[in-house]
Amino acid sequence: SLGGHISAHPRSPRGTVFRVRLPPSGMAVAAPPPPTPVSLPREAAAGKGRRVLIIDDDPLVASSLRRLLASREVQIADSGRRGIEMLRENDKFEVVLCDLMMPEVSGMDVYETIFEERPDLAERFIFMTGGAFTERARAFLERVPNPKLEKPFDGKTLRMLVSLHGG
């Protein structure tokens, strides 16, 4: 759908070379600014008692995030639809880590649904994205003030952002 091409070429005696060609996006890409060092109180750095909801359709990503946030109470929703259900059932999550691009019900859909019902809960979202590949996603990220984590990210950055965003 992006106008690219993938080719595979077997190489003897073993292996295959894959080539992925994508057209230039035409968008200027700026390097993200370096993170600003922040000193946190010991309790915030530890994240004790923070309840986190992870909404991500990739089970490997979700379980990795759970391990990175081991000092917190973490629950996982494996789809946008399940994330909405869990947020409707329990609004006691301090932080909601939400993948932006998911099939059927995207992270944008989850946020917009929750924002309509509970704007205070929508403030707790942190969006995870490997890139905004659609016009809707780009416009959404520009419009919504919530923090964003660009994949790949490291555990230290994740824990710091969760601690700061969770209050």
Side-chain angles (χ1 to χ4, degrees):
S1 68
L2 296 174
H5 182 271
I6 299 174
S7 62
H9 306 281
R11 296 285 187 224
S12 292
R14 63 181 194 267
T16 302
V17 173
F18 289 89
R19 287 194 174 96
V20 178
R21 293 185 177 139
L22 297 172
S25 71
M27 292 179 43
V29 178
T36 305
V38 176
S39 296
L40 298 173
R42 175 171 268 156
E43 307 80 44
K48 299 272 190 260
R50 302 222 186 272
R51 296 190 67 214
V52 177
L53 175 62
I54 297 168
I55 305 173
D56 199 308
D57 62 315
D58 185 331
L60 294 175
V61 170
S63 64
S64 295
L65 291 169
R66 174 180 267 161
R67 281 192 306 278
L68 288 169
L69 299 171
S71 66
R72 292 147 177 91
E73 182 182 335
V74 176
Q75 292 187 30
I76 296 174
D78 61 1
S79 68
R81 183 168 283 111
R82 181 67 184 130
I84 292 170
E85 291 170 3
M86 291 176 74
L87 288 166
R88 286 176 172 158
E89 293 168 5
N90 183 353
D91 65 354
K92 302 298 184 209
F93 296 102
E94 282 90 10
V95 176
V96 178
L97 286 169
C98 187
D99 188 15
L100 191 68
M101 305 303 283
M102 294 182 284
E104 296 182 30
V105 178
S106 72
M108 297 171 283
D109 299 326
V110 174
Y111 175 86
E112 289 166 352
T113 299
I114 296 303
F115 184 80
E116 286 178 22
E117 297 174 11
R118 292 282 313 275
D120 59 311
L121 192 53
E123 294 173 1
R124 302 176 194 175
F125 276 64
I126 297 172
F127 294 101
M128 302 175 293
T129 178
F133 298 114
T134 67
E135 273 305 313
R136 179 181 178 219
R138 280 191 283 276
F140 177 84
L141 290 174
E142 289 175 11
R143 175 177 51 87
V144 175
N146 296 56
K148 291 103 181 151
L149 271 171
E150 289 287 333
K151 296 175 185 175
F153 47 83
D154 61 76
K156 184 177 179 180
T157 302
L158 171 70
R159 287 187 292 273
M160 183 179 72
L161 187 56
V162 167
S163 292
L164 291 173
H165 193 64

